[in-house]
Amino acid sequence: MKKTIIGQSLPNIPWEDKPDRHKEVLWRYSGNPVIGWNPTPSTARIFNSAVLPYKEGFVGVFRADHKNGRAFLHFGRSKDGFRFEIDDDTIPWKDENEIPRPVSYAYDPRLVRIDDWYYVTWCDDMHGASIGMGRTKDFKTWYRMPNPLMPFNRNGVLFPKKINGMYQLLSRPSDSGHTPFGDIFISESPDMIFWGNHRYVMGKGGRGWWQGTKIGAGPVPIETTEGWLLFYHGVSFTCNGFVYSFGAVILDISEPHKVRYRCGNYLLTPEMPYETSGFVPNVVFPCQNLYDPDSGRIAIYYGAADTYTAIAFGYADEIISYIKDHHEDIK
Ligand code: BMA
């Protein structure tokens, strides 16, 4: 079989076959949501979270809103990628000199392995929303790194490897509130500390309305023979507030600020009760994808209604064909 995804095999990827007669390119796990209300003693809701394979199973960095409403990151583990055991304590960040560096809040983590380190990016408080960054080798000792970009910014997503000798970071400059605008940019760095050569990647808008207000990168991009496959969220502003859906784009493999194909339709929009009702209704927000190059399977972890963690599945080839068939040139 020709392999479209480039990367390490993941034969134990969490998976459920496509239901018979299902017409959409993605389908939801029938056991959704995989994390429900009040999952640990101190947390009310765990959503918008990131899971990765580790040793024989999976680990994750979870966004947890505490019972005082404030968001923090928690570590968790799973044997199968469906059932999680999540620590009740928050991740204990320290600096390179072993001095504790707690966050004031943290949300929407992404997690990626680059060489020997696992990097976490999140929405941090640097006198307002900004991108936080930290890393660990063993999920026991967690080092907080300097904020890569200035406030206000969110949705910081690293590429899983250097491109042209530089680390790459997607981000979405914003304001300090619920930002009514937002496009995706990319920055590069030789060392994960100094970031520059900032470039525009793509903006909100297009003929459709689902991504008319703002967009933001979702999970870590997947390397494929067609380019970088990136799922991203798009927001529409309705009489009832924001609605978050997600779609996908293929970025050029060696010049990732260039869009090759962008899907004019969303791939998933709030439909199920756990997506349309909850703490914030009508939100699907993808933060992580797992993939298996051998089978072409992709599992996407997404937050639902700022309350639950859910999973959707798809095949790389079908997703890429759908993106190409529905390509729209949106600046
Ligand atoms: C965004 C972020 C996300 C959240 C979404 C919908 O601004 O805060 O964490 O899922 O709003 O409320």
Side-chain angles (χ1 to χ4, degrees):
M1 188 185 121
K2 110 179 172 349
K3 288 188 195 171
T4 303
I5 301 175
I6 298 161
Q8 278 186 357
S9 300
L10 186 62
N12 60 335
I13 185 170
W15 188 253
E16 186 177 66
D17 283 335
K18 194 188 236 186
D20 288 344
R21 292 185 292 281
H22 185 82
K23 292 199 184 62
E24 315 296 327
V25 76
L26 297 183
W27 60 98
R28 294 164 173 86
Y29 175 47
S30 63
N32 276 352
V34 293
I35 304 176
W37 279 98
N38 303 312
T40 78
S42 69
T43 65
R45 302 173 300 274
I46 290 187
F47 55 102
N48 300 5
S49 297
V51 173
L52 263 194
Y54 185 64
K55 297 191 174 165
E56 286 78 47
F58 300 87
V59 291
V61 172
F62 295 85
R63 174 208 171 136
D65 285 11
H66 285 203
K67 288 186 173 159
N68 63 3
R70 211 171 171 95
F72 290 99
L73 303 183
H74 290 233
F75 174 67
R77 54 198 81 64
S78 173
K79 287 199 172 75
D80 57 8
F82 290 114
R83 283 163 301 171
F84 293 94
E85 192 190 294
I86 297 168
D87 291 347
D88 195 47
D89 293 329
T90 59
I91 289 178
W93 295 107
K94 53 186 180 178
D95 67 17
E96 302 284 337
N97 301 315
E98 310 291 322
I99 296 170
R101 268 202 71 203
V103 294
S104 93
Y105 60 68
Y107 57 85
D108 301 352
R110 276 70 163 189
L111 179 60
V112 60
R113 182 179 177 165
I114 307 176
D115 305 325
D116 291 342
W117 288 99
Y118 293 90
Y119 288 86
V120 189
T121 52
W122 67 88
C123 178
D124 195 23
D125 180 14
M126 190 192 187
H127 300 272
S130 63
I131 293 167
M133 192 180 279
R135 62 183 186 172
T136 180
K137 277 192 170 154
D138 55 9
F139 298 101
K140 291 188 181 99
T141 310
W142 303 79
Y143 294 105
R144 198 166 160 204
M145 299 164 67
N147 294 90
L149 300 170
M150 305 248 261
F152 304 106
N153 206 324
R154 290 181 175 90
N155 298 300
V157 178
L158 287 165
F159 280 67
K161 64 188 223 187
K162 285 182 173 174
I163 300 173
N164 306 320
M166 301 290 248
Y167 296 107
Q168 309 282 331
L169 176 69
L170 297 166
S171 72
R172 206 280 307 285
S174 61
D175 68 13
S176 57
H178 294 296
T179 316
F181 60 88
D183 303 326
I184 297 177
F185 290 76
I186 194 166
S187 310
E188 53 184 33
S189 169
D191 55 6
M192 289 275 192
I193 306 288
F194 295 96
W195 292 90
N197 198 14
H198 314 294
R199 285 191 259 201
Y200 177 85
V201 178
M202 64 184 201
K204 61 183 163 42
R207 273 178 52 74
W209 289 349
W210 70 272
Q211 52 182 339
T213 299
K214 55 178 170 175
I215 56 172
V220 168
I222 303 173
E223 188 174 8
T224 78
T225 52
E226 301 285 329
W228 293 99
L229 171 60
L230 171 72
F231 297 101
Y232 67 95
H233 65 259
V235 179
S236 147
F237 189 44
T238 72
C239 300
N240 222 9
F242 287 152
V243 172
Y244 281 70
S245 307
F246 69 86
V249 62
I250 298 171
L251 304 175
D252 189 85
I253 206 75
S254 52
E255 294 182 290
H257 62 285
K258 291 188 180 158
V259 170
R260 292 198 64 211
Y261 300 99
R262 179 168 171 190
C263 194
N265 291 348
Y266 55 71
L267 297 181
L268 203 93
T269 199
E271 279 176 31
M272 299 299 279
Y274 54 85
E275 298 164 346
T276 57
S277 66
F279 188 69
V280 181
N282 299 317
V283 180
V284 292
F285 194 98
C287 280
Q288 187 74 330
N289 37 220
L290 302 180
Y291 47 86
D292 175 40
D294 301 340
S295 58
R297 293 172 171 181
I298 295 177
I300 303 167
Y301 287 82
Y302 66 97
D306 285 11
T307 305
Y308 308 103
T309 300
I311 308 177
F313 304 107
Y315 283 106
D317 285 344
E318 290 183 15
I319 295 167
I320 290 170
S321 304
Y322 188 85
I323 297 171
K324 287 184 172 173
D325 290 349
H326 298 85
H327 170 69
E328 194 183 323
D329 197 10
I330 308 167
K331 298 296 171 211

